[in-house]
Amino acid sequence: MKGSLVSWKKEIIVLKTPEEIEKIRTSCRIVVEILQGLRELARPGVTTYDLDRFSEEEARKRGAKPAFKGYRGYPCSLCTSVNNEVVHGIPSPKRHLKEGDILSLDFGILYNGYYGDAAITIPIGEVSGKAKRLMEVTERALYAAIEKALPGNRLFDISATIQNCVEEAGFSVVRDFVGHGIGRELHEPPQVPNFGTPGRGVRLKKGMVLAIEPMVNAGRPDVRILDDGWTAVTADGSLSAHFEHTVAITDNGPDILTRI
Ligand code: MF3
Ligand code: CO
């Protein structure tokens, strides 16, 4: 383990050196390139399995290892969550995308010892006004939260900003999944909830690298897990969106390592 350590409620947060942040940036660049390829590929008729194949092949071509495959038994390289699916949708050759769907693509890789992780939600063809607004609000909440990723602020300043943006817009924040620290591991402390009280939580420090990932439902916040053991869906059947960036906290402000 490299770099200095911060302890918070017995959890150890690994601070990254500038050199390590550059390595994470390299991993994140691979993630973003592949997400851009997926964005172009995703259209009506294409299956979520086609997208999974593409993501894995593109990662391997670049010498990177898909981060999710085999993680706690997850069977694929990519998470593809359609419409009422919140996160961890499993790609399937039977799931054909259709006009009007919204599709969350969540992808992570390991390269040269460091992880990168990002997610986007994209429209398939023309989507409803409500779906568009849901995606816009979720992405806006993510960027507003990133602005709070500053040394001296508190972790839940990030969380509260997401919650405010989302609830102001009449949508709801999922409680069952959180963002996370990232570096030599895909999931490191601290957990980064998408709701909380401003001014609380661990003090943010230069060198922390966080995957911030709001999951937002158009209806109620509750989710349930399908029988496949992975796919989280909204309990009320409403649409859900998900955006994620890997962000480094620096003295020069938030550094979005997965910036497109
Ligand atoms: N971005 C998600 C996360 O950080 C994806 C994990 S999917 C899993 O939790 F399969 F790896 F669990
Ligand atoms: Co993540």
Side-chain angles (χ1 to χ4, degrees), residues 68 71 74 79 88 106 117 180 186-187 213 230 244:
F68 304 163
Y71 182 88
Y74 186 73
C79 296
H88 304 163
D106 188 352
D117 188 8
H180 50 94
L186 174 62
H187 295 142
E213 47 179 321
W230 280 101
E244 175 177 22

